[in-house]
Amino acid sequence: MVPGRLIAYRDRVRSTLETAFETEHSPHDVAASFAAGVFITALPTLGTGLLVFVLLAAISDRVCKLALLASVVVLNPAVKWGVYAASFWLGNRILGPVPGISLSGVSLSAGPDIVARLLVGNLVIAVVFTVVGYAVVLRLVLAFRRRELELGDALPEVGSE
């Protein structure tokens, strides 16, 4: 059951990305849109990230809406819980553990310290995801379009003879 879900998830991500690759936007615009979407989606925006997507799409023609959508597919709500756990762990590594708090002794008074660690770790992870996402999508778009170009060049032109 799990391998089937993973295959379906992979296929959905691939399909969304390939549709984004076929847009009229430049490879840089597609990759930058995906990277911006990943950054916004990776942050704990509590749903307001979608409003930021709408705002970005409204103020700039260079934003590839499909690439923004693809970022949401990649960092979907189920995946974000893992990102948050990794963010808190990384925040603890950077800022140190919350003083006097163990897993069994978490209280509301420790809230600001816990949130600070979550946000610091999450910001670092979001930046890493953004840089990696831009590089990967740029390479994928270029390779995808190069393949399309080679296919088009191999076809004979109608009426050329």
Side-chain angles (χ1 to χ4, degrees):
M1 181 105 141
V2 172
R5 285 186 180 175
L6 290 176
I7 290 169
Y9 175 71
R10 181 200 65 198
D11 291 345
R12 187 175 59 205
V13 169
R14 179 182 293 151
S15 173
T16 305
L17 284 174
E18 284 180 355
T19 303
F21 295 170
E22 294 170 344
T23 67
E24 296 296 321
H25 292 88
S26 72
H28 166 74
D29 289 346
V30 173
S33 297
F34 181 81
V38 165
F39 182 78
I40 293 164
T41 305
L43 295 175
T45 59
L46 303 174
T48 59
L50 294 176
L51 296 175
V52 176
F53 284 1
V54 170
L55 181 64
L56 282 174
I59 63 173
S60 177
D61 292 337
R62 294 184 65 183
V63 172
C64 176
K65 295 169 189 76
L66 288 170
L68 284 175
L69 175 64
S71 69
V72 175
V73 173
V74 171
L75 284 176
N76 62 58
V79 173
K80 284 187 78 162
W81 287 107
V83 171
Y84 294 151
S87 297
F88 184 71
W89 177 85
L90 183 59
N92 270 332
R93 294 288 181 222
I94 294 170
L95 299 176
V98 178
I101 299 296
S102 66
L103 287 179
S104 62
V106 173
S107 67
L108 290 177
S109 65
D113 290 329
I114 291 171
V115 170
R117 280 146 181 81
L118 175 68
L119 291 177
V120 167
N122 196 253
L123 186 60
V124 171
I125 287 174
V127 169
V128 169
F129 282 1
T130 300
V131 171
V132 170
Y134 176 84
V136 167
V137 169
L138 182 64
R139 289 190 66 163
L140 290 173
V141 170
L142 291 171
F144 182 82
R145 290 188 179 173
R146 201 170 25 248
R147 187 192 81 209
E148 292 291 316
L149 244 171
E150 290 169 5
L151 289 175
D153 291 343
L155 297 174
E157 290 186 19
V158 176
S160 63
E161 294 182 14

